[in-house]
Amino acid sequence: MSDIQFWTFFFIILTFAIYIFIAWRSRVKETKEFYVASQGVPTIANGAAVAADWMSAASFIGMAGLIAFLGSDGSVYLMGWTGGYVLLALLLAPYLRKWGKFTVPEFVGDRYAESVRIVAAIAAIVVSFTYVVGQMSGGGIVFSRFLNLTVEWGVVLCAAVIFIYAVLGGMKGITYTQVAQYTVLIIAYLIPAFAVAYQTTGIPIPQISYGTILAELDALSLEFGLHAFTEAFAGRGSQLDVFLVTASLMLGTAGLPHVIIRFYTTKTVRGARYSAFWALLFIALLYLTAPAVGAFTKLNLLQGVQGASPDDLPDWVQTWGATGLVTVNENVDVIQTVSNNAASGADLIVNNDILVLASPEIGGLPAPIVGLMAAGGMAAAMSTAAGLLLVISSAASHDLYFRVMKKDGASERQQMLVGRIAMAVAIGAAIWAGINPPAFVAQVVAFAFGLAASTFFPILILGIFWKRANAAGATAGVLTGLVFSGSYMIYTLEVFGTSANDPIMGISPEGIGAIGAAVNFAVTIIVSLLTRPPSERVQEMVEEIRYPATRQERVPSGE
Amino acid sequence: MAEMAHENGPGGSPPGPAADTSWRQRYWKKNLRMVVVLLAIWFTVSFGFGILLIEPLNSIEILGFPLGLWFAQQGSIYTFVILILVYALWMDRIDDEFGVAERGGDGERL
């Protein structure tokens, strides 16, 4: 067993033991505990849980690599996946918390109509499930590289641990496990980043010091046939596209059910506001570091292969070559071109996804740090998967089964049982899909945001801020948004066997969600105005969620 | 404190049904005005400085960062975090002013 393998085993077994211990301590008996952790989660803990839930395998493993090659335009992910929290905190979280129900479809059902609830529940399941599959295969990559397990066994092992703590502990177990997972993943992300920054620039604060290498990085990038890191709109093509993709990711973030649901678990409306602050602060720690990791790793990578022949490359090229994620053209004398695109025909082709996991090796850091990195990647994948599985379980049991198939009510025990069975089925399906990923999963995950932006976001906002919005409007808005964005994605992408067409006006399919949201807003407003206003009771409910508590006649005068 | 007393109702008269709806409107208006201000900053920093004006701003360089790139990859995120904190703190004040903060039986914040 190599040093790296030893440390990887060490950290993964240690962290898994911690997760299961926490889950055992917080096992639950009631549906309120199972779905919203009894609304008793302290604010900072909830913030950390949201952050772990949010930062998936894609954020941890993929993002810095993506930014390394996108350069300046990597900002679409950085701003898109953080800016949405401002919308969430200011426009949604406090009001949905005041509403005080278990799920997002439930809010939509109360506010508009039962039919909208069913559509929302199905959409929540589809969006969350495609997302889970991505996490499962992310976990599989970590296992196959570091532990020499097959991807299949990696996925099964990862799912088994999630199964134990999610089914046992529900939202409560998941939340406290996520706090631990956040701690693991942020330490695993920051330590190598600080080490690489110190090694390269002598300043151990990567967020500040990566500025000092940008000029050198630009020059090297051009030398190897890549565009300059600091050049705007070179990575994604056009300003319009960067604008729309950023907007779509922001609106989608604010509309994704597995994020919104986390603000139902706080004690108070005030707690929901501060949770959003802590969540974004914790997320920002990683997101501010990611572009620095991308820049440093790319610099080290390019310096390492500069003037080297294919036989004379650094060791990491060999070790990662075994996973098929790094390929070298053996027929050239000296590596002259580098790319992340397999179709580019460059001398050295490096997949985006390995940059973070390989960064300690590329930067020449010791084995324990590589092991920690693997544990961090697992924590990111598992925490997100668990949160998503809970959304699937609650949508399937709470919103569909007990509303549609078994309307005559059920005992607390029955509801818990169905919730747990739904989660077990979801995990089983996720294992199967993680082992046999459908070809278009990677794309669908990215487009989950576009669909969330063009379906959920507008009707949630209007539902809270405009009393006149009604069921007919919301139904029409959601369906038009879905059809509009969905058909543009199918038109521009190869999914379901269709051929890809050129995007219209250079708008990539990731950016269509922002336009879909605008269409949804317009349709919901117009149709609502043409039909009858919602009932007095609903309007009164909308009025009530504006005020955190009933007004006290005498204001406490701060003595 | 004078301001708080003022918000309790005009001239300290017992709040009747008419007074009741007027505080609700004032509370909501204050809330919305603040949200609009914060979202204007949110938009300016991210979409404004980080995307629409990135190229002109890139001609200014600080610590090696072209300024537009810095806003797009760092500055906007710092601003987002601060905006949410300001929102939460400011809402605490408005809630207190109108007496709608969540408090337990002993008047402590929950």
Side-chain angles (χ1 to χ4, degrees):
Chain A
M1 188 187 284
S2 71
D3 253 14
I4 289 183
Q5 271 190 357
F6 168 79
W7 284 107
T8 309
F9 268 116
F10 176 80
F11 281 115
I12 286 191
I13 290 171
L14 180 72
T15 52
F16 278 22
I18 295 173
Y19 305 152
I20 292 184
F21 173 72
I22 293 173
W24 178 252
R25 291 283 305 266
S26 49
R27 59 197 183 280
V28 295
K29 293 182 199 70
E30 294 171 2
T31 48
K32 198 175 180 191
E33 283 183 307
F34 191 75
Y35 291 128
V36 290
S38 306
Q39 296 179 329
V41 179
T43 310
I44 298 184
N46 197 52
V50 175
D53 202 332
W54 178 240
M55 292 188 288
S56 58
S59 294
F60 189 94
I61 302 173
M63 196 169 53
L66 208 55
I67 297 167
F69 287 101
L70 274 177
S72 176
D73 291 358
S75 63
V76 297
Y77 301 108
L78 296 167
M79 289 198 284
W81 286 337
T82 53
Y85 276 85
V86 178
L87 298 173
L88 199 57
L90 272 56
L91 303 175
L92 296 174
Y95 307 108
L96 293 176
R97 171 63 191 80
K98 178 71 199 300
W99 197 278
K101 292 294 177 64
F102 289 175
T103 67
V104 174
E106 197 171 14
F107 168 77
V108 177
D110 284 358
R111 173 64 181 80
Y112 296 114
E114 209 57 5
S115 56
V116 190
R117 176 173 182 171
I118 293 166
V119 175
I122 294 169
I125 292 174
V126 173
V127 167
S128 303
F129 189 74
T130 50
Y131 222 105
V132 165
V133 176
Q135 305 310 315
M136 290 292 176
S137 35
I141 291 182
V142 175
F143 273 115
S144 68
R145 160 64 185 90
F146 291 105
L147 299 179
N148 293 343
L149 280 172
T150 58
V151 174
E152 288 79 8
W153 278 109
V155 170
V156 170
L157 192 62
C158 174
V161 176
I162 296 175
F163 180 85
I164 294 173
Y165 70 73
V167 172
L168 198 68
M171 184 59 116
K172 199 172 159 198
I174 289 174
T175 301
Y176 289 108
T177 318
Q178 280 171 335
V179 175
Q181 284 162 334
Y182 175 76
T183 316
V184 171
L185 81 88
I186 200 69
I187 291 174
Y189 205 83
L190 292 183
I191 287 182
F194 280 62
V196 170
Y198 184 69
Q199 225 174 41
T200 320
T201 64
I203 308 166
I205 303 164
Q207 298 86 342
I208 294 172
S209 63
Y210 88 96
T212 60
I213 61 146
L214 289 176
E216 197 185 350
L217 179 58
D218 279 355
L220 263 178
S221 298
L222 293 171
E223 191 185 322
F224 282 97
L226 298 159
H227 63 81
F229 187 89
T230 58
E231 191 188 343
F233 317 125
R236 296 204 61 98
S238 77
Q239 190 168 33
L240 177 68
D241 190 46
V242 169
F243 189 97
L244 289 175
V245 174
T246 308
S248 300
L249 294 179
M250 284 188 186
L251 302 185
T253 300
L256 277 177
H258 79 279
V259 182
I260 298 176
I261 201 172
R262 305 314 297 256
F263 294 97
Y264 292 14
T265 59
T266 57
K267 283 179 188 146
T268 55
V269 172
R270 181 171 181 262
R273 296 179 195 139
Y274 280 93
S275 270
F277 161 70
W278 287 111
L280 187 60
L281 182 72
F282 290 137
I283 292 168
L285 274 180
L286 189 143
Y287 275 51
L288 290 166
T289 316
V293 171
F296 283 124
T297 310
K298 189 180 180 189
L299 183 77
N300 286 332
L301 189 159
L302 296 180
Q303 280 176 339
V305 302
Q306 195 176 27
S309 69
D311 310 322
D312 189 27
L313 290 169
D315 290 343
W316 63 266
V317 176
Q318 186 88 59
T319 46
W320 283 90
T323 59
L325 297 171
V326 176
T327 47
V328 182
N329 181 355
E330 299 288 349
N331 303 321
V332 292
D333 295 335
V334 179
I335 301 291
Q336 282 177 331
T337 50
V338 176
S339 175
N340 61 331
N341 181 357
S344 66
D347 298 341
L348 176 65
I349 294 167
V350 181
N351 185 302
N352 291 335
D353 287 347
I354 69 149
L355 273 197
V356 166
L357 293 177
S359 69
E361 292 163 86
I362 295 176
L365 299 176
I369 292 186
V370 182
L372 188 62
M373 208 69 186
M378 286 309 300
M382 289 168 64
S383 57
T384 307
L388 291 164
L389 288 167
L390 190 88
V391 171
I392 297 174
S393 149
S394 63
S397 62
H398 190 71
D399 292 314
L400 289 179
Y401 183 75
F402 286 107
R403 292 287 160 153
V404 184
M405 288 166 226
K406 198 171 185 312
K407 283 183 189 161
D408 48 353
S411 72
E412 192 78 348
R413 277 182 63 129
Q414 274 177 314
Q415 289 195 39
M416 281 293 291
L417 184 66
V418 173
R420 283 184 162 136
I421 291 173
M423 192 176 284
V425 171
I427 292 176
I431 293 177
W432 181 83
I435 293 172
N436 309 294
F440 50 86
V441 155
Q443 290 169 331
V444 177
V445 169
F447 305 129
F449 286 89
L451 293 178
S454 44
T455 54
F456 285 123
F457 182 74
I459 62 162
L460 290 175
I461 294 285
L462 290 173
I464 292 167
F465 288 89
W466 194 46
K467 288 184 197 162
R468 187 66 179 74
N470 64 18
T475 313
V478 166
L479 291 178
T480 354
L482 183 71
V483 170
F484 177 85
S485 297
S487 45
Y488 188 77
M489 289 173 189
I490 293 173
Y491 176 77
T492 48
L493 291 166
E494 279 182 55
V495 282
F496 311 115
T498 57
S499 63
N501 296 289
D502 280 338
I504 299 163
M505 287 171 67
I507 299 166
S508 63
E510 292 104 318
I512 197 67
I515 302 176
V519 171
N520 183 340
F521 268 115
V523 170
T524 308
I525 291 171
I526 293 168
V527 174
S528 291
L529 287 175
L530 292 177
T531 46
R532 296 222 322 260
S535 69
E536 279 295 311
R537 194 183 61 88
V538 167
Q539 299 204 30
E540 188 47 39
M541 280 159 77
V542 178
E543 175 76 23
E544 281 306 315
I545 62 170
R546 294 178 174 179
Y547 317 104
T550 42
R551 180 166 157 92
Q552 262 135 26
E553 296 304 340
R554 280 195 56 83
V555 179
S557 52
E559 66 271 69
Chain B
M1 291 305 110
E3 204 184 324
M4 282 186 185
H6 175 74
E7 295 297 354
N8 263 334
S13 62
D20 186 41
T21 52
S22 92
W23 79 260
R24 285 187 159 198
Q25 276 173 8
R26 272 180 296 128
Y27 174 86
W28 191 238
K29 225 178 194 170
K30 269 202 168 176
N31 178 359
L32 289 185
R33 200 180 306 144
M34 174 184 57
V35 167
V36 168
V37 169
L38 296 177
L39 287 183
I41 300 173
W42 165 80
F43 184 87
T44 310
V45 172
S46 53
F47 292 96
F49 296 161
I51 298 176
L52 298 173
L53 300 173
I54 186 169
E55 280 169 328
L57 285 175
N58 272 348
S59 58
I60 306 165
E61 201 171 285
I62 295 170
L63 293 172
F65 289 102
L67 192 58
L69 174 91
W70 185 81
F71 269 109
Q73 299 199 338
Q74 302 277 314
S76 56
I77 301 178
Y78 289 118
T79 314
F80 296 154
V81 175
I82 294 167
L83 285 177
I84 300 183
L85 180 64
V86 168
Y87 169 75
L89 291 168
W90 205 339
M91 282 310 283
D92 279 352
R93 288 186 54 177
I94 299 184
D95 284 350
D96 277 346
E97 192 181 322
F98 286 86
V100 292
E102 297 145 301
R103 290 178 187 280
D106 52 357
E108 282 294 297
R109 257 191 209 290
L110 290 173

